């Protein structure tokens, strides 16, 4: 069964959601992302088979610390959900956004590694990516969706509906010394 | 290969760690937990095959909201790590502690559902459970270990080495409305 779902992230961005319930691969076409004469083809996929070098380049572009590709591969394989955003230009597929979530597939999920290519930031893509991530997790009836936000993106997540320290609950970290 | 590891959580608790590297089931025997004339047999296991009714009773004992067993089963199956603590009394096995963690099995893990039977609290078991959880995750080279702590247990986790809001990073939650 295929169904379509239309929603708007902002006045410049129209997202057309094409979902095949019986297929692992789900695509969402975003049209008119940049308001100009031509349409730009952007879509996103939950397929885990992602080019790790492309992901590394994307993470590099936002200044993240390099991580061993072997470990990134394992992390992706063992994530419950992967969402990648691609931009098609002259038939070339470019990775411009990414997010993933670990989960017990029942109660809780934690979102990690949310990244949008700096050239495509400020266009509502981050918001669209998070909305889609939440939607996918809610589709699996996961009710507690968590993440750890750097200070500069706390406001962004608040606008999407995330709250900090509900009832005094604190995110805590343990690192090896 | 079997090896033994001895450590102390407090002066009343001696933990003997028996680990079989080639077996999924790992046991840690805790002796002399309660300082009296007889030894009390307490051990813990990472076996996922846990009696869900026993777990429900344990969670009930600390006043947690009842959860559908079917969802608990899925959550356990999809957790990366489960640690259960059992107490043997007259050849009967009693579940007295539990913790689990979701993980990408590479970079990050999040610990959920940490619980110790109220009758066995204040004896260093919670600390032993967390130390063992960290040890298991570190064994898999996971370096970012996270959790969400209720206000009344923040101090407990701080004593183990967890920190709140490192560099202003905030734990955030999204709940369905």
């Amino acid at each position: 069964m295929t169904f379509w779902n239309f929603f708007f992230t902002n006045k410049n961005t129209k997202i057309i959601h094409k979902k095949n319930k019986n297929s692992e691969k789900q695509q969402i076409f975003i049209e008119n992302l940049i308001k100009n004469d031509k349409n730009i083809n952007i879509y996103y996929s939950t397929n885990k088979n992602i080019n790790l070098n492309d992901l590394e380049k994307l993470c590099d572009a936002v200044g993240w610390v390099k991580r061993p590709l072997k470990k990134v591969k394992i992390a992706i394989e063992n994530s419950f959900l992967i969402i990648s955003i691609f931009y098609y230009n002259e038939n070339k597929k470019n990775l411009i956004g990414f997010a993933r979530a670990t989960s017990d597939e029942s109660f809780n999920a934690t979102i990690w590694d949310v990244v949008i290519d700096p050239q495509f930031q400020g266009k509502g893509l981050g918001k669209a990516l998070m909305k889609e991530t939440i939607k996918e997790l809610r589709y699996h009836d996961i009710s507690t969706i968590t993440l750890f936000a750097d200070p500069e993106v706390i406001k962004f997540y608040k606008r999407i509906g995330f709250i900090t320290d509900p009832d005094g609950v604190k995110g805590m970290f343990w690192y090896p010394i």
Side-chain angles (χ1 to χ4, degrees), chain A:
Chain A
M1 195 182 76
T2 302
F3 64 91
W4 296 77
N5 181 20
F6 297 80
F7 63 98
F8 293 84
T9 55
N10 67 27
K11 60 184 177 177
N12 294 331
T13 309
K14 184 183 177 189
I15 296 177
I16 305 169
H17 189 171
K18 186 184 180 187
K19 191 167 182 177
N20 189 331
K21 266 198 164 178
N22 300 320
S23 152
E24 201 203 343
K25 196 173 176 184
Q26 296 156 358
Q27 292 185 335
I28 295 140
F29 293 85
I30 307 175
E31 284 183 346
N32 303 316
L33 178 80
I34 299 160
K35 224 170 181 172
N36 56 17
D37 290 335
K38 54 178 180 180
N39 281 347
I40 289 173
N41 259 338
I42 289 177
Y43 79 96
Y44 42 119
S45 160
T46 55
N47 195 320
K48 282 187 178 178
N49 193 10
I50 182 174
N51 184 311
L52 297 181
N53 291 311
D54 290 351
L55 180 59
E56 197 187 15
K57 266 185 219 159
L58 177 62
C59 295
D60 250 16
V62 291
W64 288 4
V65 176
K66 255 193 170 56
R67 301 181 295 183
L69 290 193
K70 200 178 156 187
K71 287 204 82 171
V72 173
K73 190 172 181 280
I74 295 169
I76 287 174
E77 279 166 5
N78 293 296
S79 291
F80 172 58
L81 176 68
I82 296 291
I83 300 193
S84 312
I85 307 187
F86 297 100
Y87 156 55
Y88 267 94
N89 188 22
E90 294 170 358
N91 291 328
K92 203 180 162 289
K93 200 170 86 168
N94 303 282
L95 182 70
I96 59 164
F98 181 82
R100 65 183 179 94
T102 49
S103 177
D104 57 20
E105 306 185 22
S106 185
F107 299 114
N108 312 311
T110 312
I111 299 169
W112 306 96
D113 297 351
V114 180
V115 54
I116 298 287
D117 187 322
Q119 294 182 52
F120 288 83
Q121 285 179 11
K123 299 175 195 310
L125 265 187
K127 193 178 169 188
L129 177 62
M130 290 310 296
K131 291 255 179 199
E132 192 56 28
T133 304
I134 291 169
K135 199 174 172 184
E136 286 289 337
L137 295 171
R138 289 296 300 139
Y139 179 76
H140 290 90
D141 201 26
I142 292 160
S143 53
T144 303
I145 300 173
T146 62
L147 55 81
F148 297 95
D150 285 327
E152 62 273 20
V153 288
I154 291 171
K155 269 189 188 167
F156 164 74
Y157 287 115
K158 278 188 174 169
R159 282 197 298 271
I160 293 164
F162 281 85
I163 49 174
T164 50
D165 308 342
D167 301 320
V169 171
K170 279 273 184 194
M172 298 187 86
F173 286 76
W174 186 96
Y175 301 108
I177 300 159

